[in-house]
């Protein structure tokens, strides 16, 4: 069988699984404990923090561990809203992941004003985000790469232009589908959500980058872990597994990208002559997410057919209906 649903979740890399097992069996102490076992666990957290900080060219004190991108996004959006209670407007794109959409829906139900920017000719213009800014806006939250069609959103440019207009607006980027795959400059980005299981670490680990100058409030309550922003004993084995996956990808990034590009080109060349096939991506899409549709054929039928032939693919995000994506 050939597994092609890595945007939903990827197989855990061998070095990542081994790293988790080693920590589970040898370095199991609570990282907040003051004995030598606890200090060893804390070192594991700090090492991974440094690794992520290096990748992002930021400081390790700005890295918060979470259970995944969904939790990071919740903390970013709700934590920023809680800190900026006097303002009520948030700007986002119309193609966000359910985790962002549901968080924003929760706020909308509490009389927040959520402005959703649409793409123009299948691409997003940074100016449309800036044009939507009002004096009541405190947050712009936008994804870097769309999980269904691989479209890259111009997040760095959006962030720069938003900050030029109002430097107090917090900019959050959902990088679940771009972390370790696309470079990102955080100069104007305040918060960045990433996930482990999209890059070969187990599910259950993620991170939120919180720029030093940016203040957000915790949304859970407990002890003082993770800069007082994410209480609860950290999942040290998963953190170690996350670091192992990051290190592996760092060392093999070029060959991964070459592989993705070659798979995409092969697929296009093999299917382009099929009648009524639509390629739902453009020159602004990543090579590792490919979205196709066959006019008048239900995606469930295509999915079953391909599975019989040995190919595991997806008919849209695990929690989204495919009809939300319009063929280009
Ligand atoms: N954001 C995007 C763009 C995603 O693709 C996903 C996962 O599908 C998430 C957020 C949520 O990530 P996690 O599964 O780590 O909570």
């Amino acid at each position: 069988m050939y597994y092609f649903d890595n945007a939903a979740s990827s197989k855990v890399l061998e070095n990542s699984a081994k790293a988790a097992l080693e920590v589970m069996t040898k370095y199991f102490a609570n990282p907040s404990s003051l004995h030598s076992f606890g200090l060893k666990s804390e070192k594991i957290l700090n090492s991974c923090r440094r690794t992520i900080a290096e990748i992002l060219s930021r400081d390790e004190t700005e890295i918060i561990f979470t259970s995944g991108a969904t939790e990071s996004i919740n903390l970013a959006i709700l934590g920023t809203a809680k800190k900026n209670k006097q303002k009520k407007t948030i700007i986002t794109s119309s193609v966000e992941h359910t985790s962002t959409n549901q968080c924003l829906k929760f706020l909308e139900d509490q009389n927040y004003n959520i402005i959703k920017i649409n793409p123009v000719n299948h691409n997003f213009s940074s100016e449309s985000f800036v044009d939507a800014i009002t004096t009541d806006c405190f947050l712009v939250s936008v994804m870097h790469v769309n999980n269904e069609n691989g479209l890259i959103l111009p997040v760095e440019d959006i962030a720069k232009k938003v900050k030029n207009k109002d430097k107090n607006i917090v900019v959050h980027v959902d990088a679940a589908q771009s972390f370790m795959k696309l470079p990102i400059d955080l100069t104007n980005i305040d918060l960045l959500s990433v996930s482990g299981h999209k890059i070969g670490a187990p599910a259950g680990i993620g991170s939120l980058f919180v720029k030093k100058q940016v203040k957000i409030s915790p949304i859970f309550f407990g002890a003082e872990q993770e800069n007082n922003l994410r209480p609860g004993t950290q999942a040290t084995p998963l953190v170690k597994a996350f670091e192992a996956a990051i290190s592996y990808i760092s060392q093999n990034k070029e060959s991964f990208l070459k592989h993705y590009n070659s798979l995409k080109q092969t697929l296009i060349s093999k299917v382009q002559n099929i009648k009524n096939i639509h390629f739902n991506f453009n020159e602004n899409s990543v090579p590792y997410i490919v979205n196709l549709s066959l006019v008048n054929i239900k995606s469930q039928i295509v999915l079953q057919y391909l599975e019989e032939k040995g190919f595991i693919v997806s008919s849209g995000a695990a929690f989204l209906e495919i009809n939300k994506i319009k063929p280009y």
Side-chain angles (χ1 to χ4, degrees):
M1 295 294 262
Y2 295 94
Y3 181 81
F4 281 108
D5 194 18
N6 290 289
S9 204
S10 52
K11 182 177 173 185
V12 175
L13 292 163
E14 215 169 294
N15 75 325
S16 180
K18 276 189 186 151
L21 184 64
E22 191 193 13
V23 176
M24 279 177 195
T25 49
K26 286 194 192 151
Y27 306 108
F28 42 79
N30 189 319
S32 299
S33 296
L34 295 180
H35 46 66
S36 62
F37 277 40
L39 292 180
K40 278 183 188 153
S41 297
E42 194 190 7
K43 269 191 180 168
I44 290 168
L45 300 184
N46 290 339
S47 170
C48 183
R49 251 188 258 287
R50 270 196 302 279
T51 300
I52 299 176
E54 261 169 42
I55 299 277
L56 300 175
S57 302
R58 297 294 312 183
D59 195 87
E60 63 196 81
T61 56
E62 300 177 306
I63 308 300
I64 302 296
F65 291 120
T66 65
S67 61
T70 298
E71 188 189 331
S72 299
I73 290 165
N74 272 263
L75 178 55
I77 295 176
L78 301 179
T80 305
K82 224 172 141 188
K83 199 76 189 173
N84 293 271
K85 282 195 180 122
Q86 62 294 355
K87 295 195 176 185
K88 299 281 175 206
T89 297
I90 299 174
I91 299 171
T92 189
S93 84
S94 58
V95 297
E96 296 297 311
H97 185 261
T98 325
S99 44
T100 294
N101 284 337
Q102 289 303 315
C103 237
L104 295 175
K105 168 84 173 59
F106 171 76
L107 291 175
E108 198 170 31
D109 290 344
Q110 296 176 54
N111 295 325
Y112 278 76
N113 177 28
I114 312 297
I115 300 175
K116 293 194 174 178
I117 305 298
N118 285 308
V120 179
N121 295 330
H122 316 303
N123 284 316
F124 283 89
S125 106
S126 312
E127 282 73 23
S128 42
F129 286 82
V130 179
D131 292 346
I133 293 175
T134 61
T135 51
D136 187 50
C137 176
F138 66 96
L139 174 66
V140 171
S141 184
V142 61
M143 71 190 338
H144 193 184
V145 169
N146 183 273
N147 46 303
E148 300 209 12
N149 57 15
L151 182 73
I152 303 172
L153 282 80
V155 288
E156 290 159 348
D157 197 48
I158 293 170
K160 188 173 167 200
K161 292 190 167 126
V162 166
K163 291 287 184 185
N164 274 346
K165 180 135 180 195
D166 182 347
K167 66 178 179 4
N168 294 319
I169 294 176
V170 175
V171 177
H172 166 244
V173 171
D174 168 5
Q177 295 292 352
S178 64
F179 181 58
M180 297 309 299
K181 291 170 182 146
L182 295 185
I184 189 160
D185 174 1
L186 297 180
T187 307
N188 296 296
I189 294 169
D190 301 305
L191 306 166
L192 186 88
S193 293
V194 306
S195 176
H197 72 112
K198 310 290 186 188
I199 62 157
I205 184 69
S207 172
L208 178 66
F209 157 75
V210 183
K211 198 173 262 178
K212 231 175 256 160
Q213 300 79 356
V214 173
K215 299 286 167 245
I216 63 171
S217 298
I219 55 171
F220 297 141
F221 300 94
E224 294 172 354
Q225 291 96 341
E226 302 301 303
N227 283 349
N228 278 320
L229 281 179
R230 204 280 191 165
T233 306
Q234 295 93 336
T236 325
L238 297 181
V239 169
K240 183 73 183 174
F242 195 21
E243 184 180 27
I246 292 170
S247 304
Y248 183 82
I249 292 178
S250 286
Q251 285 156 23
N252 297 283
K253 207 187 252 162
E254 292 309 314
S255 61
F256 273 125
L257 280 175
K258 232 171 138 179
H259 182 57
Y260 301 142
N261 271 310
S262 133
L263 281 175
K264 185 173 177 177
Q265 290 318 318
T266 306
L267 177 69
I268 293 172
S269 69
K270 298 273 182 207
V271 302
Q272 63 188 349
N273 293 328
I274 295 176
K275 214 172 140 202
N276 286 337
I277 197 157
H278 276 259
F279 293 109
N280 302 322
F281 50 85
N282 61 16
E283 68 290 343
N284 238 343
S285 304
V286 292
Y288 49 88
I289 298 178
V290 177
N291 187 315
L292 307 171
S293 49
L294 285 155
V295 178
N296 293 334
I297 304 185
K298 281 198 171 143
S299 51
Q300 188 58 30
I301 306 282
V302 181
L303 229 72
Q304 275 167 8
Y305 176 80
L306 286 174
E307 183 150 1
E308 277 163 22
K309 298 280 174 198
F311 295 95
I312 304 293
V313 302
S314 164
S315 63
F319 298 102
L320 263 189
E321 313 105 66
I322 189 73
N323 63 11
K324 289 208 176 140
I325 310 179
K326 295 191 181 62
Y328 295 141

